[in-house]
Amino acid sequence: RARAVDAFVVAAPPGARDEIVLELLQLGRPVMVEKPVALSIGRAEELAEAAEESGVPLLVTPVHLFAPAYEKMRDIVATWSEFTVLACGGGKGPIRRYSALWDYGPHDTAMLLGLIRKRPAPLSVRATRSGGAFFTTVASGGYRGFLNVWNDGPRRRYLSALTPSHDIVSYDDLLSLGKLRRNGSVVEVDGENQKPLTRAVAAFAQAVKTHGTSDWRFDPRLGVEVTRILELADRDAMGSEHGDD
């Protein structure tokens, strides 16, 4: 006898996935979806509204949000009232038809917003492009983010936050040990080498089982704000739709 499908993981190309996600949400099915959730702010808003109306979990997966070292970093930064973030990430490519801004950028942008916690519409977003690399500046209140992403260079995933008094905490995903450091000293992290994607899938499965979750990473508005920043950066850097090369 055929079994009902409890939830879906959507890993279709970005130009197609929003239609799939929208239909599933309207059917009341939980969805875990590849980032970015959409390629325009209007479409991202539509999906967020559908998730809120359905009441089912929607998880957009910049998977580094589930890295144990990043989670610990977020706890540390929560006590800071003002800080600057430097993020960089990329790899050899391009392996997709769309630019590094929409490929690697969702990771850095989501991690920045996770550190800020409150996600007001950014006061300013500026971006420049050089070859396959993008440099984006995001300013919001007492926070500044400098995000550098590329798809034609070495593999990298690095994030640091710095206070005006020079307290600095950094997350380096490529280190096998000591991924999180504060002022140069290793910060112990439980389960440091657990795979972020494995943790993301487990969190999604738990949210499906319990018919919801208070986990901030499931907030549909997070995907909206990530898309908003990417769209503004794309316009400023290139003036071309969705960062297509």
Side-chain angles (χ1 to χ4, degrees), residues 10-21 33-40 43 47 96-99 102-103 106 242 244:
V10 177
R17 73 173 66 117
D18 55 349
E19 289 287 350
I20 299 170
V21 172
V33 58
E34 174 68 280
K35 52 74 186 169
V37 67
L39 292 174
S40 72
R43 196 56 163 167
L47 295 176
R96 297 177 175 89
R97 78 171 183 88
Y98 49 99
S99 71
W102 290 91
D103 189 359
H242 307 325
D244 288 348

Side-chain angles (χ1 to χ4, degrees), residues 42-187:
R43 196 56 163 167
E45 288 274 11
E46 187 177 3
L47 295 176
E49 290 171 3
E52 291 164 348
E53 290 175 3
S54 69
V56 298
L58 170 64
L59 177 61
V60 185
T61 53
V63 293
H64 290 276
L65 298 183
F66 289 87
Y70 173 78
E71 292 178 350
K72 183 70 173 181
M73 180 181 185
R74 190 169 180 265
D75 290 341
I76 294 171
V77 172
T79 64
W80 298 353
S81 59
E82 184 178 355
F83 54 86
T84 297
V85 173
L86 172 64
C88 58
K92 294 181 179 179
I95 59 174
R96 297 177 175 89
R97 78 171 183 88
Y98 49 99
S99 71
L101 185 66
W102 290 91
D103 189 359
Y104 295 98
H107 291 292
D108 301 81
T109 306
M111 288 191 288
L112 168 64
L113 293 175
L115 294 183
I116 294 175
R117 291 177 179 262
K118 295 180 181 179
R119 294 188 297 278
L123 297 181
S124 65
V125 177
R126 303 293 297 176
T128 58
R129 180 189 186 189
S130 177
F134 290 78
F135 185 82
T136 302
T137 302
V138 180
S140 181
Y143 310 103
R144 296 291 183 275
F146 301 96
L147 316 178
N148 185 20
V149 295
W150 60 86
N151 60 8
D152 57 358
R155 180 172 174 263
R156 187 78 165 130
R157 177 64 58 200
Y158 177 83
L159 180 75
S160 67
L162 173 69
T163 68
S165 60
H166 302 291
D167 191 2
I168 183 170
V169 60
S170 59
Y171 161 58
D172 190 337
D173 183 59
L174 293 190
L175 295 176
S176 57
L177 294 173
K179 293 178 182 291
L180 186 66
R181 305 192 178 216
R182 185 171 188 176
N183 300 321
S185 299
V186 173
V187 177

